[in-house]
Amino acid sequence: MYRRLLPLILCLSLLAATQTGCWSSKEIEDLALYVGLALDKGELTKAEQELEDKGITYSKQNKITATIQVVPVKTIGSTDKQGGQQGTPYQNVSGTGDSVLEIFRQFSIRNERPIVGHHLKVIVISAELLKQQSIEQLMDFVLRDNDIRPSSLVFISQGRAEATMFSKRSDVIPSVHIRQMLRNQRRTSKVMSPMILSKLDALIYSKRSFALQNLVTADGETEFAGAAVVKGDTGHWVGNLNQEDTECLSWLTGKGDSGVIKAYDWDNEPMTYEMKAMKSKIKARTEGDEILFEVSLKTEGRLIETWNTSSPLSSDDNTKRASKIFQDKLKQMMEHMIGKLQQDYKADVAGFSKTLSIQQPQAWNKVKAHWDETFSRSRISFKYDLKITDFGSFTE
């Protein structure tokens, strides 16, 4: 009998040993998970200034202020000395120095819980900081840290980046809210395709210029406001694209097929075209040493709104007139955006380099070392095909 039970006892013992759970697990309440990171020009917090006045500091230059957004807050309803709001489900903690990692380590001597970046959602960099420091410098630690996921999103802010880590709503976590706002991309092309860390790493390494979604904060609310242009060879912020420019950039790169075009009709009344489909095609060719791009844009949509009560736009003649007006407006918007990229910023953030490298590899090899400068001299022509397919639901 004993010989029969012995193997069974051994099997049960081994089974129990393998079912003990995560022996190295830590309770979430004992960790400080940061879901947002904001990087600004160095500006000492009030607490840091008082400590420095008392001679309590370490060897550093105050080049950068890093703000992390921590969840969950251990004691909900407490007031954070760093500027947190009472009753919010998050806590913002800031530190100043010249090394992001060192700033993070300083948090360890001020807080009772170690910070962990496994759930970092968004990284916001201020344009003012990006004028002084390159994005390669600012992202070096973030890209090296194994705790941070490569799917974290990167944004640029106009004004202090730390302002995006606050909200006047007590029921939201700002970092999570910003990420969720991207779901509206299917409603408007003013919302750019998200820039994740892994893609940003490739752009930085290749020294290619690129655009990042702009964030602007006012009265405790944060919204998307165009795009920021980052120069590839320097890694610095060089300027902005407005909301219409951002729409055109999305349409040109094939990453947006929604949005509206507002124009004014023959009676100077506003009318609005709602896009239902947009297709773009870019063809690259050369003439001697000159590089030319031919862009074809084709869109279909509906006339969704008009304030003109005297001229029915559903008539054939007026439909053609309206289509021509909308097409002219699209042409004006697109040429304005291309003019900014070629003349003001001399930065190809629209992917013309990729088209050239695929279609004309020999020409690309000659100019890739100084592509942005070559792009600014390239000839770009457009062909437009805008068609109004319906007029929504209306009663004549």
Side-chain angles (χ1 to χ4, degrees), residues 308-322:
N308 195 324
T309 58
S310 59
S311 301
L313 296 181
S314 56
S315 67
D316 289 341
D317 289 341
N318 286 343
T319 298
K320 292 178 181 179
R321 293 170 72 185

Side-chain angles (χ1 to χ4, degrees), residues 101 144 283:
L101 175 60
R144 292 174 186 268
K283 183 179 180 180

Side-chain angles (χ1 to χ4, degrees), residues 188-220:
T188 173
S189 294
K190 293 179 180 179
V191 179
M192 295 180 60
S193 296
M195 178 69 74
I196 60 176
L197 269 179
S198 57
K199 183 179 178 181
L200 179 65
D201 187 20
L203 291 170
I204 293 174
Y205 178 78
S206 64
K207 301 294 183 180
R208 287 168 53 191
S209 298
F210 55 90
L212 291 174
Q213 184 78 64
N214 253 337
L215 297 177
V216 174
T217 302
D219 192 28

Side-chain angles (χ1 to χ4, degrees), residues 92-278:
N92 292 342
V93 184
S94 298
T96 305
D98 51 10
S99 164
V100 177
L101 175 60
E102 190 172 37
I103 293 171
F104 281 13
R105 292 296 181 261
Q106 288 298 112
F107 292 154
S108 299
I109 66 175
R110 295 161 49 190
N111 299 284
E112 74 277 15
R113 295 180 295 163
I115 62 172
V116 179
H118 297 309
H119 296 278
L120 180 61
K121 305 294 184 186
V122 300
I123 302 168
V124 185
I125 309 170
S126 75
E128 287 298 317
L129 176 64
L130 207 50
K131 289 180 184 178
Q132 297 184 350
Q133 312 296 147
S134 72
I135 196 163
E136 183 178 9
Q137 293 172 316
L138 298 174
M139 291 290 99
D140 188 73
F141 162 71
V142 173
L143 291 170
R144 292 174 186 268
D145 189 4
N146 290 330
D147 282 353
I148 296 175
R149 296 179 180 178
S151 59
S152 301
L153 303 180
V154 185
F155 299 90
I156 299 292
S157 73
Q158 300 303 309
R160 298 286 292 182
E162 63 180 341
T164 65
M165 298 290 111
F166 290 89
S167 175
K168 64 181 181 181
R169 292 173 53 185
S170 61
D171 60 335
V172 301
I173 299 172
S175 298
V176 178
H177 176 66
I178 291 172
R179 190 180 183 100
Q180 291 176 340
M181 286 166 60
L182 289 170
R183 293 182 297 184
N184 289 321
Q185 186 183 16
R186 63 186 180 88
R187 306 288 292 181
T188 173
S189 294
K190 293 179 180 179
V191 179
M192 295 180 60
S193 296
M195 178 69 74
I196 60 176
L197 269 179
S198 57
K199 183 179 178 181
L200 179 65
D201 187 20
L203 291 170
I204 293 174
Y205 178 78
S206 64
K207 301 294 183 180
R208 287 168 53 191
S209 298
F210 55 90
L212 291 174
Q213 184 78 64
N214 253 337
L215 297 177
V216 174
T217 302
D219 192 28
E221 293 186 356
T222 299
E223 70 173 53
F224 295 143
V229 177
V230 180
K231 191 79 167 172
D233 55 355
T234 65
H236 291 294
W237 175 89
V238 293
N240 291 324
L241 299 175
N242 63 30
Q243 293 186 29
E244 287 188 349
D245 295 331
T246 304
E247 279 189 302
C248 290
L249 183 63
S250 297
W251 296 334
L252 180 62
T253 56
K255 296 178 181 178
D257 58 1
S258 60
V260 300
I261 300 175
K262 186 189 71 175
Y264 296 90
D265 66 13
W266 42 91
D267 292 330
N268 201 33
E269 294 288 357
M271 58 181 182
T272 305
Y273 169 86
E274 183 182 28
M275 194 175 295
K276 289 302 178 184
M278 165 64 82

Side-chain angles (χ1 to χ4, degrees), residues 295-298 327 330-335 381-386:
V295 182
S296 298
L297 295 173
K298 184 177 181 180
Q327 185 167 294
L330 176 60
K331 177 181 178 181
Q332 176 190 342
M333 292 166 59
M334 196 65 67
E335 291 181 350
S381 60
F382 288 88
K383 291 181 180 179
Y384 303 93
D385 183 5
L386 186 147

